[in-house]
Amino acid sequence: MPRLNAARKHTIDFTLNGKAVSAEAENRMLLSDLLRHEIGLTGTHVGCEHGVCGACTVQIDGKPARACLTLAQQVRGSDVRTVEALAPDPAVLSPLQAAFRRHHGLQCGFCTPGILMSLDALLREQPDAGREDIREHLSGHLCRCTGYATIVEAALAAAEEQRKEETPNA
Ligand code: FES
Ligand code: FES
């Protein structure tokens, strides 16, 4: 029976943070490893490597996805966004990031990139998300520092700000 050569490399063409990328990856390379070790985008954090903590969350075609449970080969032809894409300029925080700062939504920051990528997708799909929606959406993320309350407050503030921007006269 033919055996899969795990070390064999293939070219993967995909879009990463709005730019076309062509990368070489072995059959079993994880997306998290491709992003961090091959491409050098270390904003995507890796905690449990088992799909439990949510730290590695990125967006694939607009949906939150665990980069530690995704093979690099699976993103061929997809649109991948990482936390590096949130702010238009490294010196300027996105509104969601700024809300985290204002509301003390992070301490050590290890969980933060994954949480931001999840919330960014939620607020795009559901701009009227309320407290319970946000809590439910974040149920797949572990934070060892904040106790979650400030994260939820930050998300609510960002959602409100986004609604005001979208309907300034409402
Ligand atoms: S590192 Fe992927 S879910 Fe924990
Ligand atoms: S801020 Fe430290 S784990 Fe969440």
Side-chain angles (χ1 to χ4, degrees), residues 67-90:
C68 77
L69 294 183
T70 306
L71 291 172
Q73 305 287 340
Q74 289 177 280
V75 301
R76 186 174 280 114
S78 298
D79 183 14
V80 178
R81 281 182 87 222
T82 66
V83 70
E84 282 88 352
L86 278 191
D89 177 320

Side-chain angles (χ1 to χ4, degrees), residues 56-73:
C56 67
T57 302
V58 297
Q59 291 171 12
I60 302 177
D61 296 330
K63 305 275 184 213
R66 306 286 209 232
C68 77
L69 294 183
T70 306
L71 291 172
Q73 305 287 340

Side-chain angles (χ1 to χ4, degrees), residues 105-112 115 142-148 151:
L106 69 154
Q107 289 181 29
C108 79
F110 194 84
C111 66
T112 312
I115 289 178
L142 300 180
C143 175
R144 303 295 293 268
C145 305
T146 62
Y148 303 101
I151 292 175

Side-chain angles (χ1 to χ4, degrees), residues 32 44-57 65-70 110 140-142:
S32 48
T44 298
H45 291 169
V46 175
C48 66
E49 292 188 272
H50 286 90
V52 176
C53 73
C56 67
T57 302
R66 306 286 209 232
C68 77
L69 294 183
T70 306
F110 194 84
H141 289 270
L142 300 180

